[in-house]
Amino acid sequence: MVLPASSTLRPPDAAPRPAQQPGAPHDLAETRHELVAMAEGKTGAVPAAFLVEHVLRATTEGDWPVRRGALEALLRRVGFCEKDELRIAQRPAA
């Protein structure tokens, strides 16, 4: 298969493209701030900043839409835990 020179495919090790959306954060610090603001009050007993750091570690190659989507998915799961009254009954032995 031959692709034209103007192909949008990028090598796997290429740096992520900058966010194309208006109003998207410009750097990691701004991204972190926006994600924490989105998560505040929606994370139950878990600190919002803790979940945001988890999202950022899991999406190191992602841009703003990927990171926002990951946090939204995580917040939905937190919501299900609260709605279904899920609790940790027992922790594994250390």
Side-chain angles (χ1 to χ4, degrees):
M1 176 173 160
V2 176
L3 296 174
S6 64
S7 172
T8 59
L9 294 177
R10 298 168 43 218
D13 60 343
R17 291 186 181 131
Q20 300 291 323
Q21 297 180 341
H26 298 291
D27 59 19
L28 186 58
E30 191 177 346
T31 298
R32 182 178 284 112
H33 177 76
E34 290 294 322
L35 292 175
V36 169
M38 285 175 56
E40 285 295 331
K42 301 175 186 173
T43 60
V46 179
F50 179 81
L51 291 182
V52 166
E53 291 305 318
H54 176 72
V55 166
L56 291 175
R57 282 191 308 272
T59 60
T60 56
E61 297 297 319
D63 56 2
W64 171 244
V66 170
R67 290 174 169 167
R68 183 187 61 219
L71 180 64
E72 289 169 347
L74 190 56
L75 293 175
R76 281 192 301 275
R77 282 154 183 80
V78 169
F80 291 136
C81 288
E82 291 175 357
K83 182 183 122 194
D84 295 341
E85 298 179 3
L86 299 178
R87 302 288 178 252
I88 298 171
Q90 182 179 1
R91 296 186 189 274

